[in-house]
Amino acid sequence: MWCIKKMKIEESKFRCGNGKAIKELVAKYAYLYSDWMQDWPYDIAESKEIENYFQHYDEQIDEDKKFSLMEMLIQALTDIEDKNDFDKNWKRLKSRIIKDFEIHEYTILYWSCFGENLSDCWKVTPYIRELWKEIKNG
């Protein structure tokens, strides 16, 4: 959350994953979970599972599950080392963010790290910043 605190842009409504959605994802993927795991989606996401995350995301109608899955997708994408694989999956992710932006606005703001130098941010941050600008500027 450190990057959001320094922002000088409009506020977005805070949102975080809820217990029900997280428990369902824990059961589906047999991931570890404990109440102290504040950054759970980021801690457990695996880049090798990105295809499964996309598939599961596309099957969802529950916004809370979509929210947590998007956090997992962004973390999984960030961990992809191959540039071509990263770019291919970014295009897939971008379309879902645009489609469901109202669900993911706070997450996208978080990963944008406005107010920070890109050298201090994640690999996906410049892509997300550009997407934020595209969406907000119409």
Side-chain angles (χ1 to χ4, degrees), residues 15-29:
R15 185 172 188 168
C16 62
N18 73 25
K20 182 178 183 275
I22 289 171
K23 287 177 183 168
E24 289 176 13
L25 292 168
V26 165
K28 175 159 180 67
Y29 293 103

Side-chain angles (χ1 to χ4, degrees), residues 8-136:
K8 305 245 190 262
I9 61 174
E10 78 235 26
E11 290 292 319
S12 291
K13 184 179 175 188
F14 174 79
R15 185 172 188 168
C16 62
N18 73 25
K20 182 178 183 275
I22 289 171
K23 287 177 183 168
E24 289 176 13
L25 292 168
V26 165
K28 175 159 180 67
Y29 293 103
Y31 287 144
L32 296 175
Y33 177 77
S34 211
D35 289 338
W36 60 265
M37 297 174 80
Q38 178 181 343
D39 294 329
W40 177 82
Y42 308 128
D43 292 338
I44 55 82
E46 300 177 39
S47 60
K48 67 181 180 180
E49 293 292 329
I50 199 164
E51 186 61 41
N52 291 326
Y53 300 156
F54 275 121
Q55 182 178 349
H56 195 59
Y57 184 92
D58 292 341
E59 295 168 351
Q60 296 309 306
I61 56 172
D62 182 288
E63 289 186 6
D64 291 324
K65 281 178 85 173
K66 280 187 165 190
F67 179 88
S68 290
L69 279 162
M70 181 57 68
E71 291 181 315
M72 293 166 64
L73 276 160
I74 295 172
Q75 182 64 56
L77 177 68
T78 298
D79 294 339
I80 292 175
E81 294 183 21
D82 180 76
K83 172 90 168 109
N84 291 330
D85 198 23
F86 179 94
D87 290 343
K88 174 188 76 162
N89 284 293
W90 166 247
K91 288 177 187 175
R92 296 172 69 199
L93 186 62
K94 181 179 176 180
S95 67
R96 287 159 178 87
I97 293 170
I98 292 168
K99 179 179 174 273
D100 293 329
F101 185 73
E102 288 183 18
I103 299 169
H104 306 302
E105 182 175 3
Y106 189 81
T107 301
I108 300 314
L109 184 60
Y110 174 83
W111 284 87
S112 294
C113 289
F114 290 110
E116 296 296 326
N117 292 322
L118 284 176
S119 61
D120 295 330
C121 299
W122 299 286
K123 177 165 82 174
V124 73
T125 297
Y127 297 84
I128 289 183
R129 280 186 185 179
E130 187 62 34
L131 178 58
W132 177 270
K133 290 175 190 173
E134 286 175 31
I135 291 170
K136 290 299 186 173

